[in-house]
């Protein structure tokens, strides 16, 4: 017993001495806490460098975007193939991911050797070998007849611009196959698989093993946002904020970044802690200068003996301690880099304390008896403000790769279905030319006496025959009804210097008035006039009035207008078929407080044309892209068969909103347009308007979002009550959502207001849907406008024509892209016309006053004759 104690003491003494000797010898390998904190700070700086667009090229830690934007959310399901290449073992797997909330994954796998002549041979042979193993696996598992998506775990630094692509930057570990660096390994494998006729596999995702590991662990622990491999090689990935990843477009949400921390120090950043042994080892490695990194005395003796050595006890103790110091330093270094990542996560989230999970895999971590404990301990020491759970990945990174593939295939399937819907709104050049020509035919129909009654584009004479000539002067009242706002205006026109001063007041038209009785509507209008005259101290003033009434009216003269039918949100009873000037006069009489000389009733397109024509005599077209949609233009009297006379011109209010009511647009009329029409106040009417104007675009988008949500493609299939509400998705939302300046986060805020809990992907799709709907509207407007300017050019027998279009309306004014797409479409469809667009700053009220002034002047002239 004494001998045992003596032996134990001697041994302990020997051990202590040996350990001290080794410690002194390997003193440089012991890293103090200060040094580790310093290395942590250096790594943080390297991460920043790698994430920066300008600094990335010279960064040693490449911070590679992986295009994995989300961790599993439990909706993943399906059958997938998975390849795991790059670790110590090469595996082929079939992964079955099931749904219905039951988060279980079944995997069948087969290991295949990675002979040196393959992994250090020629690249083509390497991928052919991998394809052969895959084919062999599928034969064995009788999967050959199945078309299965595949996730490729490829554990080497790859530059990715999308999930299903990866340019190999450099081989690491034992691999050194020729002709692969700088090429896309996904297409190399795809080509190699082509050799197997009956192999029908789609590589949907390439992931690094750290990413696969993070996803595998995140499937069980949603806190997992870091993946670490400490095996043959070492590396880590984590979920970074998109706003910090300069190399990828977009600032919203997060993306997994593969740090490739193995290269940390390649730029000399770790020179001060590298030892001669590290340099020695590096020189002997397959990639010198790149990527700068084991139990039990009995084991030690056995291993040393296997190495042909005859170790003494002292040797074994020394070797064991060397191993301890080397693995200790490895754990310390990994801990320092990991602590840097955890600190970044905490700072990104602006948290004082971070709770997170790190998914880990790799044989060194798994089988080294003390490694995990040391790593955890040092990490917790370096980042005391992080509650870190380490989760060992039981099933390797391939389960995670299958998750990524499952998400990719779900997104791909979704993408296909969403593209199918968006394609319905994509108009080809040929279709646009067709629409321009159809509109042109409808114009002719409307102008001709015989065909006018059937025409859907009414081409209504307005009795506005001349543009103001600058001699107009006086004070005029103007009413502007039919757009977003009802305005009462006082317009002072001074002749000669073409100066117009305007005072106006905006009044609301409540829905119950819009859709009440005609009498109530006109009484309300007269009430507003009274308030305005009061406000302006004009009570009792007998002023000529111009009435902008933005609805289809058949006119027999400038001051007569019979409402053909209501459009937009109006549906007041006892008005259609009535003369709206008479109805206004009766309402004024009913009030019996003041009298007005209603001189003209004009359409807002005409008022807009006149307002702009006052500044630019080339302006002979008026366009409204607002709540409603319409266009007017100056037509040759000889072409207007409904009005006597062939001299001069008259403005025609086309009321093109009705274009397509005869079915000529059915080929582009979608189910969503149908639903909007059926839910409108005037089903079957105003088809063109319902595909183009502000009153309806939001509704079309809402119908599409409901349909996509029903298909489970959006908002996890959850339709909110608010989204079911007609008119809730206002067109102004389109303008906001499509604004380039608006971050996706703000899109999500808008969706939140609609009770929709959306993901990044959801908001991207919503933005696309808004874009598709507004683009079609702008193109349809462009086709209609091209038809009229082409008609005017041909009517005047001009090879080339310059013309100005006066335009107004909130859609044209506020939508970020509408006006540009409209202009581009007109340019393409009417190349011989040089069309200037002039925005009406003052609205059509000014135009109405000018028309009133012209009418008064003409009346005056007639009286004097
Ligand atoms: C198991 C993973 C694999 C990864 C490997 C790393 O499934 O993707 O490459 O761990 O550990 P190693 O095998 O290199 O020790
Ligand atoms: C402002 C004009 C008005 C017209 C309106 C159309 O003054 O006459 O009706 O533009 O745009 P909205 O207000 O419908 O967007
Ligand atoms: C009306 C037109 C009006 C247009 C723009 C349409 O609904 O029918 O008269 O010009 O809206 O306000």
């Amino acid at each position: 017993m004494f001998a045992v104690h003596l032996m134990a003491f001697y041994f302990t003494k020997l051990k202590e001495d040996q350990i001290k000797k080794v410690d002194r010898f390997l003193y440089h390998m012991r890293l103090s806490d200060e040094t580790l904190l310093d290395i942590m700070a250096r790594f943080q700086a390297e991460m920043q460098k790698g994430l920066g667009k300008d600094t990335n090229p010279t960064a040693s830690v490449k911070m590679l975007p992986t295009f994995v934007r989300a961790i599993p959310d439990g909706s993943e399901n399906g059958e997938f193939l998975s390849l795991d290449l790059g670790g110590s073992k090469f595996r082929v797997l079939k992964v079955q991911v099931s749904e219905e909330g039951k988060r279980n994954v079944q995997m069948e796998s087969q290991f295949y050797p990675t002979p040196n002549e393959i992994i250090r041979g020629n690249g083509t042979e390497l991928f052919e070998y991998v394809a052969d193993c895959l084919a062999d696996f599928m034969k064995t598992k009788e999967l050959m007849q199945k078309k299965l998506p595949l996730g490729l775990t490829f554990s080497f630094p790859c530059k990715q611009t999308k999930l299903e692509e990866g340019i190999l930057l450099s081989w690491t570990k034992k691999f050194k196959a020729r002709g692969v660096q700088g090429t896309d390994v996904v297409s190399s494998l795809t080509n190699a698989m082509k050799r197997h006729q009956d192999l029908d596999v789609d590589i949907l995702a390439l992931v690094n093993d750290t990413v696969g590991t993070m996803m595998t662990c995140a499937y069980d622990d949603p806190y997992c946002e870091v993946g670490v491999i400490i095996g043959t090689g070492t590396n880590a990935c984590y979920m970074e904020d998109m706003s910090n990843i300069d190399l990828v477009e977009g600032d919203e949400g997060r993306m997994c970044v593969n740090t490739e921390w193995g290269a940390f120090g390649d730029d000399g950043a770790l020179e001060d802690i590298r030892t001669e042994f590290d340099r020695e080892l590096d020189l002997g490695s397959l990639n010198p200068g790149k990527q700068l990194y084991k139990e039990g005395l009995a084991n030690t003796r056995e291993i040393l003996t296997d190495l042909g050595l005859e170790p003494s006890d002292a040797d074994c103790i020394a070797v064991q301690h060397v191993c301890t110091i080397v693995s200790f330093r490895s754990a310390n270094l990994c801990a320092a880099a990991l602590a840097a990542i955890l600190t970044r996560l905490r700072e990104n989230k602006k948290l004082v304390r971070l709770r997170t999970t790190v998914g880990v895999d790799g044989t060194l971590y798994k089988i080294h008896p003390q490694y995990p404990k040391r790593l955890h301990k040092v990490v917790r020491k370096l980042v005391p403000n992080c509650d870190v759970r380490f989760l060992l990945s039981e099933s390797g990174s391939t389960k995670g790769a299958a998750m990524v593939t499952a998400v990719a295939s779900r997104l791909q399937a979704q993408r296909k279905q969403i593209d199918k819907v968006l394609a319905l709104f994509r108009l080809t050049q040929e279709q646009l030319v067709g629409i321009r020509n159809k509109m042109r035919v409808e114009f002719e129909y409307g102008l001709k006496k015989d065909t006018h009654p059937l025409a859907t584009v009414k081409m209504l004479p307005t009795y506005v025959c001349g543009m103001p000539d600058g001699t107009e002067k006086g004070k005029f009242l103007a009413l502007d009804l039919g757009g977003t706002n009802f305005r009462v205006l006082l317009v002072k026109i001074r002749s000669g210097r073409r100066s117009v001063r305007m005072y106006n007041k905006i009044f609301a038209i409540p829905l119950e008035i819009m859709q009440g009785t005609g009498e109530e509507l006109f009484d309300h209008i007269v009430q507003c006039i009274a308030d305005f005259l009061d406000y302006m101290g004009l009570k009792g003033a007998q002023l000529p009035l111009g009435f902008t009434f933005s609805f289809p009216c058949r006119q027999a003269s400038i001051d007569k207008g019979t409402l053909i039918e209501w459009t937009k949100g109006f549906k007041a009873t006892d008005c259609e078929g009535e003369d709206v000037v008479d109805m206004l006069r009766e309402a004024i009489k009913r009030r019996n407080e003041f009298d007005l000389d209603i001189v003209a009733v004009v359409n807002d397109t005409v008022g807009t044309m006149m307002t702009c024509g006052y500044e630019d005599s080339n302006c002979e077209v008026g366009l409204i892209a607002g709540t409603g949609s319409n266009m007017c233009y100056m037509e040759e009297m000889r072409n207007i068969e409904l009005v006597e006379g062939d001299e001069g011109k008259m403005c025609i209010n086309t009321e093109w909103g009705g274009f397509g009511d005869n079915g000529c647009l059915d080929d582009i009329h979608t189910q969503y347009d149908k639903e909007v029409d059926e839910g409108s106040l005037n089903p079957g009417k105003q088809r063109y308007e319902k595909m183009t104007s502000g009153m309806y675009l939001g509704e079309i988008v809402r119908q599409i979002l409901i349909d996509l949500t029903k298909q489970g493609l959006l908002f996890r299939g959850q339709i909110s009550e608010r989204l079911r509400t007609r008119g809730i998705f206002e067109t102004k939302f389109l303008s906001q959502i499509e604004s380039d300046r608006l971050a996706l986060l703000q899109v999500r805020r808008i969706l939140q207001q609609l009770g929709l809990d959306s993901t990044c992907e959801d908001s991207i799709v919503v933005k696309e849907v808004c874009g598709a709907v507004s683009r079609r509207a702008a193109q349809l407007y462009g086709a209609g406008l091209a038809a009229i300017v082409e008609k005017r050019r041909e009517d005047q027998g001009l090879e080339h024509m310059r013309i100005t279009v006066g335009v107004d309306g909130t859609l044209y004014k506020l939508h970020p892209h509408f006006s540009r797409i409209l202009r581009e479409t007109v340019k393409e469809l009417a190349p011989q016309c040089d069309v200037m667009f002039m925005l009406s700053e003052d609205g059509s009220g000014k135009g109405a006053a000018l028309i009133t002034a012209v009418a008064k002047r003409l009346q005056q002239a007639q009286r004097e004759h």
Side-chain angles (χ1 to χ4, degrees):
M1 185 54 175
F2 170 72
V4 173
H5 282 299
L6 188 59
M7 279 297 290
F9 169 76
Y10 160 74
F11 198 78
T12 316
K13 184 76 185 66
L14 171 66
K15 192 169 179 181
E16 271 165 16
D17 294 352
Q18 281 300 88
I19 286 177
K20 278 207 190 76
K21 263 196 229 133
V22 172
D23 273 343
R24 265 196 306 282
F25 185 68
L26 296 178
Y27 173 73
H28 292 300
M29 283 199 164
R30 285 197 171 287
L31 304 173
S32 67
D33 292 359
E34 293 64 43
T35 305
L36 288 177
L37 284 169
D38 179 23
I39 291 167
M40 184 178 150
R42 292 183 214 177
F43 190 71
Q44 280 173 297
E46 285 298 326
M47 290 170 76
Q48 195 54 46
K49 227 170 131 192
L51 288 169
K53 196 181 220 90
D54 312 334
T55 48
N56 176 275
T58 54
S60 55
V61 178
K62 284 293 178 209
M63 305 298 281
L64 302 167
T66 67
F67 293 84
V68 171
R69 296 171 185 273
I71 57 173
D73 66 0
S75 64
E76 296 74 19
N77 70 80
E79 200 173 25
F80 308 93
L81 287 167
S82 195
L83 287 177
D84 188 353
L85 184 66
S88 50
K89 300 191 184 65
F90 167 39
R91 275 199 303 172
V92 180
L93 303 91
K94 186 194 79 162
V95 184
Q96 174 65 50
V97 182
S98 59
E99 57 184 322
E100 287 108 36
K102 287 199 300 316
R103 288 175 164 234
N104 65 22
V105 176
Q106 278 107 38
M107 301 202 299
E108 295 167 55
S109 68
Q110 177 68 42
F111 285 101
Y112 291 88
T114 48
N116 270 349
E117 62 277 15
I118 290 287
I119 63 173
R120 296 190 193 159
N122 142 327
T124 311
E125 285 157 14
L126 167 66
F127 289 107
E128 286 172 356
Y129 172 74
V130 171
D132 296 349
C133 297
L134 178 62
D136 171 72
F137 177 81
M138 293 182 77
K139 278 199 198 83
T140 321
K141 302 290 178 191
E142 291 156 8
L143 295 169
M144 270 310 204
Q145 74 297 340
K146 281 196 172 176
K147 178 174 176 46
L148 288 176
L150 182 140
L152 169 61
T153 302
F154 187 75
S155 311
F156 303 94
C158 285
K159 191 170 181 47
Q160 295 184 265
T161 56
K162 55 186 174 182
L163 195 55
E164 64 279 21
E165 176 209 68
I167 310 296
L168 176 65
L169 294 175
S170 57
W171 283 119
T172 61
K173 294 172 277 189
K174 299 179 290 175
F175 284 66
K176 197 79 183 159
R178 295 183 302 282
V180 182
Q181 287 181 193
T183 67
D184 173 16
V185 293
V186 172
S187 40
S188 303
L189 181 55
T190 306
N191 296 341
M193 290 196 290
K194 288 201 184 97
R195 289 172 43 253
H196 300 270
Q197 304 306 332
D198 41 12
L199 201 57
D200 184 4
V201 167
D202 248 351
I203 303 175
L204 284 193
L206 175 139
V207 296
N208 184 266
D209 53 355
T210 55
V211 180
T213 298
M214 179 192 76
M215 292 294 270
T216 296
C217 297
Y219 194 64
D220 302 321
D221 175 344
Y223 277 93
C224 183
E225 52 196 343
V226 179
V228 172
I229 293 286
I230 304 172
T232 319
T234 181
N235 186 16
C237 72
Y238 70 103
M239 294 302 285
E240 175 60 82
D241 293 354
M242 280 293 289
S243 52
N244 298 330
I245 307 175
D246 289 2
L247 299 170
V248 180
E249 274 306 305
D251 283 347
E252 284 324 312
R254 301 201 295 172
M255 179 181 282
C256 181
V257 165
N258 165 15
T259 66
E260 286 296 339
W261 72 11
F264 180 30
D266 285 9
D267 59 354
L270 294 174
E271 270 325 293
D272 57 332
I273 62 163
R274 283 186 71 211
T275 64
E276 60 193 292
F277 307 110
D278 298 313
R279 292 191 186 85
E280 190 110 356
L281 177 140
D282 176 45
L283 288 173
S285 74
L286 282 176
N287 50 353
K290 295 267 183 232
Q291 307 293 97
L292 306 180
Y293 280 143
K294 259 188 157 152
E295 147 163 307
L297 287 175
N299 297 343
T300 312
R301 182 178 305 285
E302 194 191 319
I303 291 165
L304 294 174
T305 311
D306 290 352
L307 294 170
L309 298 161
E310 291 161 9
S312 67
D313 289 352
D315 295 337
C316 292
I317 292 166
V319 169
Q320 188 190 46
H321 195 50
V322 168
C323 292
T324 303
I325 290 175
V326 170
S327 62
F328 212 102
R329 183 184 68 165
S330 161
N332 280 345
L333 286 171
C334 286
L338 183 52
I341 289 176
L342 296 172
T343 303
R344 192 176 175 85
L345 278 171
R346 185 178 57 73
E347 287 165 356
N348 282 355
K349 298 180 179 192
K350 301 185 179 47
L351 295 172
V352 177
R353 195 159 193 80
L354 171 76
R355 172 189 166 181
T356 191
T357 297
V358 174
V360 191
D361 204 338
T363 33
L364 175 53
Y365 181 88
K366 271 184 176 162
I367 62 172
H368 189 293
Q370 273 88 34
Y371 199 102
K373 213 163 59 261
R374 285 179 189 153
L375 176 78
H376 305 171
K377 189 158 150 275
V378 178
V379 167
R380 292 186 177 124
K381 190 166 56 180
L382 292 173
V383 282
N385 44 18
C386 294
D387 300 331
V388 188
R389 176 187 178 210
F390 287 86
L391 183 55
L392 183 61
S393 160
E394 297 304 343
S395 43
S397 62
T398 36
K399 176 177 164 186
M403 292 302 146
V404 173
T405 312
V407 174
S409 73
R410 172 168 53 85
L411 291 178
Q412 197 187 50
Q414 282 182 343
R415 188 70 250 165
K416 276 211 187 81
Q417 285 171 285
I418 289 165
D419 284 349
K420 233 168 60 208
V421 170
L422 295 177
L424 297 171
F425 289 84
R426 215 162 287 125
L427 300 174
T428 61
Q429 184 72 1
E430 195 201 340
Q431 282 177 310
L432 286 169
V433 169
I435 293 161
R436 178 200 67 194
N437 299 348
K438 285 179 195 164
M439 180 72 96
R440 179 70 182 274
V441 171
E442 292 295 328
F443 288 157
E444 302 304 338
Y445 269 179
L447 287 171
K448 301 259 177 306
K449 192 167 254 159
D450 318 347
T451 49
H452 176 80
L454 302 173
T456 54
V457 179
K458 287 274 171 264
M459 307 299 278
L460 303 166
T462 66
Y463 292 85
V464 171
C465 301
M467 304 302 272
D469 61 6
T471 61
E472 297 72 26
K473 63 181 181 336
K475 275 201 284 187
F476 303 88
L477 271 180
L479 303 179
D480 187 351
L481 178 73
T484 313
N485 306 309
F486 170 48
R487 291 194 300 168
V488 182
L489 307 93
L490 173 67
V491 183
K492 295 183 179 170
I493 305 173
R494 262 186 279 183
S495 62
R497 280 174 292 121
R498 289 182 172 269
S499 80
V500 175
R501 299 261 303 284
M502 299 196 312
Y503 311 84
N504 76 84
K505 208 161 182 298
I506 293 179
F507 296 88
I509 306 276
L511 197 62
E512 62 275 16
I513 295 284
M514 274 189 192
Q515 299 175 7
T517 68
E519 204 164 292
E520 285 162 343
L521 171 63
F522 281 89
D523 285 348
H524 179 79
I525 290 170
V526 172
Q527 169 63 52
C528 298
I529 298 171
D531 294 358
F532 179 75
L533 293 175
D534 237 359
Y535 167 78
M536 295 297 290
L538 289 169
K539 262 283 166 42
Q542 237 272 346
L543 291 171
L545 179 139
F547 184 11
T548 301
F549 184 77
S550 309
F551 302 92
C553 286
R554 194 175 302 292
Q555 294 189 252
S557 65
I558 190 75
D559 62 350
K560 283 192 170 319
T562 303
L563 175 61
I564 298 169
E565 65 200 334
W566 284 119
T567 63
K568 290 171 279 189
F570 281 70
K571 200 73 186 157
T573 57
D574 324 318
C575 295
E576 290 174 344
E578 300 300 323
D579 183 304
V580 292
V581 175
D582 290 348
M583 293 187 78
L584 182 57
R585 286 200 180 109
E586 278 145 29
I588 292 169
K589 230 186 259 126
R590 270 196 300 277
R591 188 177 183 88
N592 192 21
E593 227 183 75
F594 52 82
D595 188 14
L596 295 173
D597 169 16
I598 304 171
V599 174
V601 60
V602 300
N603 184 263
D604 53 355
T605 54
V606 182
T608 298
M609 181 189 74
M610 204 54 90
T611 297
C612 298
Y614 198 57
E615 317 295 332
D616 174 346
S617 58
N618 241 346
C619 180
E620 292 205 339
V621 175
L623 183 73
I624 294 289
T627 316
S629 161
N630 193 14
M631 179 273 291
C632 75
Y633 72 105
M634 293 305 287
E635 176 58 274
E636 312 296 337
M637 280 298 290
R638 66 174 179 277
N639 295 336
I640 307 174
E641 294 182 5
L642 299 171
V643 180
E644 292 308 307
D646 287 345
E647 292 314 305
K649 296 178 186 172
M650 177 184 284
C651 179
I652 290 291
N653 166 15
T654 65
E655 287 296 339
W656 71 5
F659 177 46
D661 289 5
N662 57 4
C664 71
L665 290 177
D666 287 4
D667 58 330
I668 62 167
H669 204 245
T670 68
Q671 72 193 72
Y672 311 108
D673 297 309
K674 196 162 168 301
E675 276 142 14
V676 168
D677 178 49
E678 281 158 9
S680 72
L681 287 174
N682 51 354
K685 296 285 180 59
Q686 299 293 95
R687 184 153 287 187
Y688 185 69
E689 176 165 78
K690 286 172 185 165
M691 296 164 87
T692 58
S693 79
M695 171 114 187
Y696 304 100
L697 298 188
E699 249 322 80
I700 299 172
V701 169
R702 186 178 73 88
Q703 294 295 343
I704 297 170
L705 298 185
I706 286 176
D707 180 39
L708 292 177
T709 308
K710 278 191 191 143
Q711 296 179 47
L713 302 173
L714 273 181
F715 316 124
R716 295 199 183 85
Q718 310 302 320
I719 300 180
S720 71
E721 251 344 283
R722 284 177 65 71
L723 189 61
R724 292 182 198 286
T725 317
R726 191 170 296 291
I728 194 81
F729 199 103
E730 296 169 50
T731 298
K732 73 174 182 204
F733 289 155
L734 271 84
S735 299
Q736 291 163 4
I737 287 170
E738 288 182 63
S739 131
D740 302 339
R741 280 191 318 285
L742 195 78
L744 279 183
L745 204 56
Q746 285 137 317
V747 174
R748 295 173 75 178
R749 261 200 222 102
I750 292 172
L751 296 174
Q752 229 140 35
Q753 286 164 24
L754 295 167
L756 297 163
D757 174 15
S758 65
T759 64
C760 266
E761 286 80 22
D762 289 337
S763 25
I764 291 170
V765 171
V766 169
K767 194 163 184 168
E768 284 180 327
V769 168
C770 293
V773 170
S774 63
R775 180 175 183 76
R776 180 187 72 167
Q779 289 180 311
L780 285 172
Y781 256 94
L785 203 54
I788 202 65
V789 293
E790 271 295 285
K791 176 182 178 344
R792 291 298 300 140
R793 181 183 66 76
E794 287 166 17
D795 282 357
Q796 296 166 73
L798 298 172
E799 188 47 39
H800 198 83
M801 180 187 75
R802 246 174 61 77
I803 189 165
T804 299
V805 173
V807 57
D808 204 338
T810 37
L811 183 57
Y812 187 93
K813 281 180 174 168
L814 302 183
H815 190 282
H817 310 299
F818 186 92
S819 55
R820 173 181 51 76
I821 296 169
L822 189 159
R823 285 197 297 272
E824 287 164 1
T825 308
V826 172
K827 211 179 207 51
E828 281 151 26
L829 299 178
Q832 295 166 266
C833 297
D834 186 355
V835 182
M836 305 294 293
F837 286 82
M838 183 175 183
L839 198 55
S840 161
E841 300 301 345
D842 305 316
S844 66
K846 174 178 171 182
L850 287 162
I851 290 166
T852 307
V854 173
K856 284 304 273 183
R857 177 165 53 76
L858 293 177
Q859 271 175 8
Q860 199 69 21
Q862 264 164 6
R863 257 202 295 278
E864 282 152 11
H865 276 81

